[in-house]
Amino acid sequence: MAKKVLPLLLPPLLLAALGLAGLLLLCLPTRDVREPPAFKYGIVLDAGSSHTSMFVYKWPADKENDTGIVGQHSSCHVQGGGISSYADNPSGAGRSLVECLEQALRDVPRDRHASTPLYLGATAGMRLLNLRSPEAAAAVLAAVGQTLAQYPFDFRGARILSGQDEGVFGWVTANYLLENLIKYSWVGRWFRPRKGTLGAMDLGGASTQITFETSSPVEDPANEVHLRLYGQHYRVYTHSFLCYGQDQVLQRLLASALQGSSDPDLCRALVSQLFNVSTCGFSRCSFDGVFQPPLAGSFIAFSAFYRTVEFLRTKMGLPVATLQQLDAAVETTCKQTWEELQARAPGPLDRLANSCAAATFVQQLLSRGYGFDERTFGGLAFQRQAADTAVGWALGYMLNLTNLVPSDPPGLRKGLQRGAWSVALLLFGALLLAALALGLRQVRSAKAQRAI
């Protein structure tokens, strides 16, 4: 008898098990669970006047549109001179980048290659080459562009940056990394930190830039830039100077340094010729008749500013906390004989030979050129990095061209909506009732057949 009833009850029992399992699953607590974030990458080649550097940046792909997220993943120093030094051999400029590009292939995961933007920005060296020979500059850019386009990244062009762009992007980078541009949420309201922004100062092989936020009237609109970042408006003054414009003076200066004459007064006199402060058609100027509003707030100085001051501070062991100490450190360095300098600061001889010239130039640029005094110098920090990322124009350039790094939708494991959950509950409940009804029907049918 049992053998005859069991096959009849098997279908309703299976339906009942399925319905019961569904009800149990629906009763389990659920919540949204964020998946481990994937990462996006971006690559910027900083083609400076004396060398090229590659920076690989990394950020969570599901980031919200805030700041303080993007960081430096890796970097690479291209061997040889800047791409402008290949004016007579454009193809060599492209080949010089290959070693670092091969590193980028390893640093960026293969599945992210096609979606990784790749940029090359050239600065003062190429600006000068473009002034002397636009055809040669175009040939160099075409050669490096051809090389970059051969890699599986999303190559978005190679171009020459203006001095103004270089200054503004450096300012964006510094304040982005130091979280001066970040917005905080508090009870549903957004606000900026009260500490404000820092001014940014860059010094490369052939140009220098100063950029800072200002509220005073700018008499020369060409040096004023309006930015809107994260819903906030910034009005900044920026200016770029080609600091190696007077080649003859610098040749004399470097010749004096290389001869080791140990004469700081001669060195200072030669450098001071680079800063013409005798003429000014505005209410106030920096040098060469260029308007500059009063220095406002604190500043961060990077690139060659940092390297020069760090040499005085660490290699020479001299204090540079005040402008007076910086002057004294420069004078001490320039009074060293070549043998004394080598003994005190062993290192690459080419940089060591230029240490007096570079230190004097930085000291004169800060005091005579930009007008720093003891009070404003106290708000000047010399830094190479912030948040483990090199400070320079490259990150700000990428943030600008990628629209502040647009985000992918966050990856979530979603639970059922309440309405869908209710429908599923009713469905599995109906399945249990149908199984019960079918089972009863099968039992009654079996009893009726047995009665006959």
Side-chain angles (χ1 to χ4, degrees), residues 281-297:
F282 302 97
S283 60
R284 55 181 298 126
C285 293
S286 52
F287 57 93
D288 290 346
V290 175
F291 168 76
Q292 178 182 299
L295 298 173

Side-chain angles (χ1 to χ4, degrees), residues 78-79 86 89-101 143-144 147:
V78 174
Q79 298 299 314
Y86 294 90
N89 178 26
S91 61
R95 289 194 299 271
S96 70
L97 309 177
V98 168
E99 183 177 349
C100 282
L101 290 169
V144 299
T147 298

Side-chain angles (χ1 to χ4, degrees), residues 248-438:
Q248 187 175 4
V249 173
L250 277 175
Q251 286 173 4
R252 289 175 58 200
L253 172 62
L254 293 177
S256 174
L258 288 170
Q259 291 170 5
S261 62
S262 303
D263 190 342
D265 292 332
L266 173 60
C267 193
R268 188 179 301 110
L270 289 170
V271 171
S272 66
Q273 297 179 40
L274 298 174
F275 306 107
N276 177 15
V277 295
S278 61
T279 59
C280 180
F282 302 97
S283 60
R284 55 181 298 126
C285 293
S286 52
F287 57 93
D288 290 346
V290 175
F291 168 76
Q292 178 182 299
L295 298 173
S298 299
F299 285 79
I300 179 173
F302 41 93
S303 299
F305 280 120
Y306 166 81
R307 292 192 296 270
T308 301
V309 171
E310 188 67 4
F311 170 84
L312 297 174
R313 186 163 40 202
T314 59
K315 296 292 186 179
M316 297 296 295
L318 300 169
V320 288
T322 66
L323 192 59
Q324 185 176 4
Q325 287 180 344
L326 177 63
D327 294 347
V330 172
E331 183 165 352
T332 298
T333 300
C334 290
K335 283 183 176 179
Q336 303 292 299
T337 65
W338 180 238
E339 291 74 19
E340 290 172 338
L341 196 59
Q342 285 180 295
R344 190 165 183 172
L349 296 183
D350 55 342
R351 292 188 179 182
L352 197 60
N354 295 333
S355 58
C356 170
T360 304
F361 181 80
V362 166
Q363 183 270 328
Q364 288 286 291
L365 176 60
L366 292 174
S367 59
R368 185 178 176 85
Y370 290 145
F372 279 87
D373 55 22
E374 288 293 353
R375 180 186 63 83
T376 52
F377 187 83
L380 177 58
F382 297 90
Q383 288 184 224
R384 180 174 62 93
Q385 289 187 325
D388 296 323
T389 299
V391 182
W393 60 264
L395 176 56
Y397 182 61
M398 187 192 73
L399 293 174
N400 176 69
L401 292 179
T402 54
N403 193 26
L404 299 179
V405 191
S407 60
D408 287 345
L412 297 174
R413 299 187 184 98
K414 298 294 292 182
L416 289 174
Q417 297 289 338
R418 181 176 295 275
W421 182 86
S422 300
V423 171
L425 183 65
L426 291 174
L427 178 63
F428 285 116
L431 193 61
L432 278 175
L433 291 175
L436 179 62
L438 181 60

